[in-house]
Amino acid sequence: MLGRLLAWAEKVVDLRRIIAAVSDRRRRPRIPTATVVQSILILFLVRLGSLNAIEQTRATFRWRQRLGRQLPSADSLGRIASLVDPETLRSGNQQLYTRLKRGKALAATSHGLTALALDGHESTCSYLRQCSGCLERRIKTRQGYRTQYYHRFVTGMLLTKPFPLLLDIEPIKSGEDEVDAALRLLERLLSDYPRAFDVVVADALYTDPRFYRLVLGHHKDALTVLKANTPELLADFRSLVANREPALVQERVNGDRQIWDLTGFTSWTAVDVPVRVVRSSEVTRVRRQLDNVTETILSDWLWVTTLSPPRAPAAAVVELGHDRWLIENRGFNETVNSWGIDHLYRHDPDAILVFSLLCLLAYNLFHAFYFRNLNLALQTRHTFVHIAACLRATLYQDSLPFPSRPP
């Protein structure tokens, strides 16, 4: 199964060329960079979770068959990864997107707009281990205040169908907030993927004039959650919507939804253009598995956006606002729990970034293979976890520590 995936990737997305273009800072490398990159990429594809786990599969002949040499040691993989140029990995992910887009593998959602979701994620924290890229904070514990060291990133995900695409990641540096790193990431994404998305969606933290000015400056639209961090706009909207009937009522299988849509707000003076506010009041009925009792959940959502009503009707704005959660559910939740992106393979800021970028590349390759190469019957019958287990079995089947027959 692993050989099938890699053969498909080489044929469809030219994986061998992507790997060969990756470079590092070594002057006279004894181990080729392509060998290290390909080894770590396979580590993520088969979801082994650590360098020590992949080192225990060195006995299998498949490594020499694939790499043309023995698998490097765990120490060599971590050391060389810290020297890899991350820009060459970003370029590889960009080439993967281009190939998939040309092959009609990525489609927009039902309303026709493609969104880029941005969000921050904390990857690791420790009271004992520290590196030059660690952020610091004071935590109150039972033993008093202690300094905690942690790493945090901003990730960009392209919300396409049938699977989202993780485009890039940017570390948050000491002395800056999440929006600062997000602006740096967004500048790069707007340059590398100028036509990939129409609107940028994010949570309430990004309801920030700096974010909106950057997005509007590149002729894109923005959509963010509206909360109390923008009090003038929030108060203006509530005063106008108090006695209005909803513009749209949607009936759903598990509840209904009432939507208010107001445009032309100029009370947010930090942004030079009028903005639009959409509210969705939702009733959702959920049957709890524990006691089989149906519970009614009430939720009220507010979004501010620069999208015009002709381009994005109220229902499309609500769908885009809820699709933002894909970066949490399909992005962070899946890569952390199934792909091991938060594992500290080597506590070095450059190595952490390189391993994260390779995890993003492996994530995109795996999902592209699953939806574009496996037929619908296999997709219906087998989950992502089962296919990943089949990939992992390829490495283990030829590396048993004991003979197949007794002596």
Side-chain angles (χ1 to χ4, degrees), residues 23-55:
S23 61
D24 61 41
R25 300 194 301 269
R26 292 177 297 162
R27 294 184 178 180
R28 298 179 180 178
R30 291 199 301 172
I31 302 175
T33 308
T35 299
V36 174
V37 172
Q38 190 168 188
S39 302
I40 298 175
L41 188 65
I42 292 175
L43 179 150
F44 283 115
L45 285 172
V46 302
R47 307 188 190 187
L48 283 176
S50 74
L51 294 177
N52 289 329
I54 197 174
E55 188 179 36

Side-chain angles (χ1 to χ4, degrees), residues 272-335:
D272 298 331
V273 299
V275 295
R276 173 186 177 195
V277 178
V278 176
R279 175 192 175 193
S280 177
S281 181
E282 303 176 3
V283 177
T284 306
R285 291 182 291 273
V286 180
R287 185 183 295 275
R288 298 301 181 188
Q289 186 176 6
L290 181 63
D291 51 13
N292 205 31
V293 174
T294 300
E295 180 182 354
T296 301
I297 301 175
L298 305 177
S299 57
D300 199 63
W301 293 91
L302 285 172
W303 294 280
V304 55
T305 182
T306 60
L307 287 164
S308 62
R311 192 179 188 198
V317 172
V318 173
E319 184 178 345
L320 281 168
H322 286 308
D323 282 349
R324 180 187 66 84
W325 286 101
L326 285 174
I327 196 171
E328 290 281 352
N329 300 327
R330 294 290 302 277
F332 301 142
N333 185 47
E334 187 175 339
T335 55

Side-chain angles (χ1 to χ4, degrees), residues 212 216 264-276 305-306:
Y212 272 77
L216 291 171
F265 286 94
T266 57
S267 50
W268 194 15
T269 56
V271 178
D272 298 331
V273 299
V275 295
R276 173 186 177 195
T305 182
T306 60

Side-chain angles (χ1 to χ4, degrees), residues 121-300:
H121 172 70
E122 183 175 318
S123 61
T124 181
C125 63
S126 173
Y127 289 108
L128 302 176
R129 304 181 67 180
Q130 179 187 11
C131 71
S132 59
C134 281
L135 305 175
E136 298 182 13
R137 60 191 171 199
R138 297 288 289 173
I139 302 294
K140 186 177 182 181
T141 66
R142 293 181 179 180
Q143 293 78 29
Y145 283 94
R146 300 181 62 188
T147 300
Q148 189 179 70
Y149 308 102
Y150 66 101
H151 289 265
R152 190 170 177 83
F153 294 84
V154 179
T155 304
M157 171 182 271
L158 196 64
L159 306 183
T160 51
K161 288 186 175 180
F163 59 94
L165 206 67
L166 287 168
L167 296 184
D168 203 350
I169 191 169
E170 179 67 27
I172 300 176
K173 299 177 181 178
S174 179
E176 64 180 14
D177 59 13
E178 183 178 317
V179 177
D180 292 325
L183 295 179
R184 195 164 56 248
L185 172 63
L186 186 56
E187 283 275 16
R188 187 166 59 245
L189 291 175
L190 287 166
S191 175
D192 294 343
Y193 306 88
R195 301 177 61 184
F197 52 91
D198 308 295
V199 56
V200 187
V201 299
D203 60 20
L205 184 65
Y206 294 82
T207 308
D208 188 298
R210 298 171 295 169
F211 175 75
Y212 272 77
R213 283 195 289 265
L214 176 59
V215 173
L216 291 171
H218 286 80
H219 308 288
K220 302 288 185 181
D221 286 296
L223 188 151
T224 57
V225 178
L226 178 61
K227 288 187 178 179
N229 58 342
T230 316
E232 305 89 355
L233 180 58
L234 184 60
D236 196 6
F237 173 78
R238 285 178 173 170
S239 65
L240 293 176
V241 81
N243 299 317
R244 287 177 180 258
E245 293 294 323
L248 178 65
V249 177
Q250 292 181 328
E251 294 184 358
R252 301 177 297 162
V253 176
N254 58 343
D256 56 11
R257 177 186 290 160
Q258 294 180 330
I259 302 174
W260 288 262
D261 186 4
L262 300 180
T263 61
F265 286 94
T266 57
S267 50
W268 194 15
T269 56
V271 178
D272 298 331
V273 299
V275 295
R276 173 186 177 195
V277 178
V278 176
R279 175 192 175 193
S280 177
S281 181
E282 303 176 3
V283 177
T284 306
R285 291 182 291 273
V286 180
R287 185 183 295 275
R288 298 301 181 188
Q289 186 176 6
L290 181 63
D291 51 13
N292 205 31
V293 174
T294 300
E295 180 182 354
T296 301
I297 301 175
L298 305 177
S299 57
D300 199 63

